[in-house]
Amino acid sequence: MKTSTLYRLSYIYLSLPLFIFFATWLDLGIGLIANLLLGFAFYKAFPKGCDIKLNLNSKHWIFIISIAFVWCFCAGIGYFYYQSFDYHFKNAVFRDLINYDWPIFYDRANTPMVYYMGFWLIPALVGKFLIICGASFYNAFIVANIFLFLFAFLGTMLIFLHLVNVVNCDNFKKIVVVILGFVLFSGLDIIGYKYFTVMGQPFEYHLEWWATFLQFSSFTTSMFWVFNQFIPVGILILMVYKEQNIKNFGLLIALSLFFAPYPTFSIGVIMVVLALNNFIKSPNKLNFVIENIMSIPNIISVFWILPIIVLYFISNSEGMYGYYYIFSYTTPFRLVLFYVIEFLLYALIVYPKYRKNLIFNVLVVLFLAIPFLRLDQQNNFCMRASIPLMILFYCYIVTFIFDNNYKILKYILIVLLCIGAMTPMTEFYRGFHFMAKEKKINLVADDIYTLNNRYIRMPVFGYDVNHQYTAKEYKTDIFWQWFAKKTKGLND
């Protein structure tokens, strides 16, 4: 498999949902222009060919496919298996995408949907097509979930293949270590959970609330709770880091924003640092700006694609809430403990190798900074903006393990990684536990059912979460008045 093939598949995978969004949520004329421009940017960014190959034989493929399948299945994707709490909302979003005309307008709540729902668009189209063909809504929903699983499975495969490419795995042993290590990578949450918890845990068999709303989620936690953000972000950040093709950064950041707004902040910072570093090193800075910064994908994305996506998201009601003070829910002492347990111990061990590495040092600075950027009550920004940072951090760690030097530090690192693995293992255990307890496999979390209500009660917690998915001021929002397709409700 050539790396050009891997990148082509990744660009197609990430771009198709945005093409669908422009075609179905925007006014016909604006949507046509947007898709023509997006198509031209996509064509210019699309890899033209590369002779570098990933040396994968049948044994490698069987292993990669098997781990991707099991991980997606245990994550609850597809309505087959135990699902974590957040699926109450994800199933409702997916069901509404199948059941309602696009753009979705909720007549009971008198508001359109505003949410990063790009990951569900392709499977939802399958469900809509089946309903048009005469299938019942229940059957259409189940089949659409199968396609959702396949879409997630393909995306997870792409993440694993990019990892193999980034870490330069040249044998089966390295592939096994890199992929299994990725699934089991986490900070040392078990220590925080065991010794520093001062509040009751809101979810059973879930370790990462020991520091309340401070959280750098493990990859398995992200997969089990926010797969719709984690999978595309995983592909994107590995593409950005390995390829470092500044000509395409504008398109990639637009795709990232469409799938996952909060992680886009971290990806954007990494892009800016890479671009500035290359600019400084460039012998002809004017040519660098003309050829790289002012590329067609960058110009189209920055001046057309990104503004549309931004206008859509800023119409979300939750975006009006503002900034929250970090120490209203934690203490300086607990914050320091969080830093130490989540990443500093790892960073100190590998620092001798990467002390002069620009991106590694940027990761450390961002890890220190993002807990303070609390943009909502639950500090989801900290939980999600850390995803791309943790992925690159993992790549540095596993590369350190493969280094023939630093043997004592390597053994200490491996011990810490084994302790950290308790977090994702607990995520797996939660599903096994409740499956055995209830004697049922598909323990789905689907209590909300639809978001078409004035008041949407969050299960367990009880408070209203309607604002997370709506645009209360849609009658004055630029996106809904000038760009969106006028459907019933939006015309009223």
Side-chain angles (χ1 to χ4, degrees):
M1 184 180 189
K2 294 183 178 180
T3 53
S4 59
T5 303
L6 173 60
Y7 275 83
R8 288 170 180 171
L9 289 172
S10 299
Y11 273 103
I12 293 171
Y13 184 91
L14 295 169
S15 299
L16 271 179
L18 187 56
F19 278 109
I20 293 170
F21 176 78
F22 283 163
T24 56
W25 290 66
L26 299 184
D27 176 79
L28 181 61
I30 295 176
L32 179 60
I33 295 172
N35 266 333
L36 287 174
L37 289 170
L38 176 59
F40 190 45
F42 175 84
Y43 169 75
K44 298 298 290 186
F46 200 63
K48 303 302 187 290
C50 179
D51 293 329
I52 301 175
K53 291 184 179 180
L54 298 177
N55 295 316
L56 302 174
N57 58 35
S58 57
K59 182 169 67 173
H60 301 154
W61 280 107
I62 291 172
F63 176 77
I64 292 171
I65 291 171
S66 300
I67 299 302
F69 184 92
V70 171
W71 207 24
C72 289
F73 183 85
C74 291
I77 303 170
Y79 222 69
F80 305 122
Y81 185 69
Y82 171 85
Q83 296 178 332
S84 65
F85 178 84
D86 277 10
Y87 276 86
H88 287 297
F89 311 101
K90 289 172 171 50
N91 286 324
V93 168
F94 190 34
R95 183 180 286 104
D96 287 348
L97 285 169
I98 297 171
N99 198 30
Y100 289 87
D101 294 333
W102 295 353
I104 294 175
F105 185 86
Y106 294 124
D107 55 343
R108 297 178 194 168
N110 189 33
T111 179
M113 173 197 278
V114 182
Y115 192 61
Y116 34 92
M117 58 355 188
F119 197 86
W120 289 281
L121 290 182
I122 293 176
L125 273 182
V126 174
K128 283 183 172 295
F129 176 75
L130 291 174
I131 291 174
I132 292 173
C133 293
S136 67
F137 176 79
Y138 176 80
N139 289 333
F141 180 66
I142 296 301
V143 174
N145 264 289
I146 294 173
F147 275 85
L148 177 64
F149 177 88
L150 294 175
F151 190 65
F153 169 69
L154 175 58
T156 306
M157 287 274 294
L158 291 174
I159 291 176
F160 289 168
L161 292 171
H162 279 291
L163 277 172
V164 170
N165 186 37
V166 169
V167 184
N168 298 314
C169 297
D170 52 9
N171 58 58
F172 182 64
K173 180 180 178 180
K174 284 187 177 180
I175 291 175
V176 171
V177 170
V178 167
I179 293 178
L180 286 183
F182 188 78
V183 173
L184 297 176
F185 180 68
S186 173
L188 309 176
D189 296 290
I190 187 66
I191 296 176
Y193 178 86
K194 187 72 175 178
Y195 298 105
F196 301 115
T197 299
V198 294
M199 62 171 286
Q201 300 299 306
F203 307 111
E204 293 183 82
Y205 307 109
H206 182 61
L207 304 183
E208 291 177 288
W209 276 50
W210 67 270
T212 60
F213 296 134
L214 292 172
Q215 184 182 136
F216 296 158
S217 304
S218 77
F219 301 146
T220 291
T221 301
S222 295
M223 188 72 169
F224 285 20
W225 293 74
V226 289
F227 65 87
N228 57 302
Q229 297 184 68
F230 175 74
I231 293 174
V233 164
I235 298 170
L236 277 157
I237 190 60
L238 292 172
M239 289 174 64
V240 168
Y241 178 73
K242 181 66 176 180
E243 189 179 32
Q244 295 191 22
N245 190 345
I246 298 166
K247 297 177 181 179
N248 298 341
F249 277 5
L251 177 60
L252 291 176
I253 202 68
L255 295 173
S256 176
L257 181 64
F258 182 60
F259 282 106
Y262 285 166
T264 299
F265 168 82
S266 299
I267 294 176
V269 172
I270 298 297
M271 285 181 171
V272 170
V273 170
L274 289 172
L276 285 174
N277 186 51
N278 281 273
F279 173 77
I280 292 170
K281 292 180 178 179
S282 174
N284 191 324
K285 292 178 171 48
L286 179 59
N287 283 348
F288 178 86
V289 171
I290 294 173
E291 294 177 4
N292 293 277
I293 305 299
M294 303 301 291
S295 68
I296 290 175
N298 285 346
I299 291 174
I300 290 176
S301 300
V302 170
F303 292 103
W304 182 263
I305 299 172
L306 267 174
I308 295 176
I309 301 172
V310 169
L311 287 172
Y312 172 68
F313 282 131
I314 63 174
S315 69
N316 182 274
S317 301
E318 190 170 42
M320 305 174 188
Y321 274 37
Y323 178 77
Y324 289 80
Y325 184 53
I326 183 175
F327 293 120
S328 64
Y329 65 87
T330 191
T331 63
F333 176 69
R334 172 119 355 178
L335 177 62
V336 171
L337 288 174
F338 172 79
Y339 284 147
V340 171
I341 291 173
E342 290 300 300
F343 80 94
L344 270 180
L345 285 176
Y346 292 147
L348 289 172
I349 290 173
V350 302
Y351 188 72
K353 180 178 175 66
Y354 300 117
R355 63 183 183 276
K356 295 182 179 180
N357 186 289
L358 175 63
I359 298 301
F360 178 81
N361 285 286
V362 169
L363 293 179
V364 172
V365 171
L366 287 173
F367 278 135
L368 293 170
I370 60 174
F372 289 92
L373 302 176
R374 186 185 174 201
L375 305 181
D376 56 64
Q377 288 181 323
Q378 290 79 34
N379 202 9
N380 284 297
F381 184 88
C382 177
M383 300 179 194
R384 309 309 169 218
S386 60
I387 292 174
L389 305 180
M390 291 289 284
I391 291 173
L392 290 188
F393 193 55
Y394 171 77
C395 291
Y396 283 110
I397 288 175
V398 77
T399 303
F400 183 89
I401 291 174
F402 291 149
D403 195 320
N404 291 325
N405 302 309
Y406 313 106
K407 288 187 176 180
I408 295 177
L409 290 177
K410 187 190 305 184
Y411 294 140
I412 296 173
L413 179 61
I414 291 172
V415 170
L416 293 179
L417 289 170
C418 290
I419 296 173
M422 289 299 298
T423 300
M425 289 175 66
T426 303
E427 292 293 311
F428 280 105
Y429 174 76
R430 185 175 62 249
F432 300 150
H433 169 81
F434 285 107
M435 181 183 66
K437 180 180 179 181
E438 302 295 333
K439 296 181 173 55
K440 184 179 179 182
I441 295 178
N442 64 326
L443 293 170
V444 298
D446 199 9
D447 288 353
I448 293 177
Y449 195 81
T450 180
L451 301 173
N452 187 15
N453 286 297
R454 289 186 179 275
Y455 178 88
I456 301 172
R457 179 186 177 277
M458 177 182 280
V460 179
F461 297 95
Y463 54 79
D464 181 27
V465 292
N466 181 277
H467 58 275
Q468 296 183 17
Y469 308 93
T470 58
K472 298 296 185 184
E473 306 297 329
Y474 72 94
K475 291 184 179 180
T476 57
D477 286 329
I478 295 175
F479 177 85
W480 297 105
Q481 294 305 307
W482 294 95
F483 288 88
K485 183 193 299 181
K486 297 299 185 289
T487 58
K488 184 179 180 182
L490 290 173
N491 282 326
D492 298 339

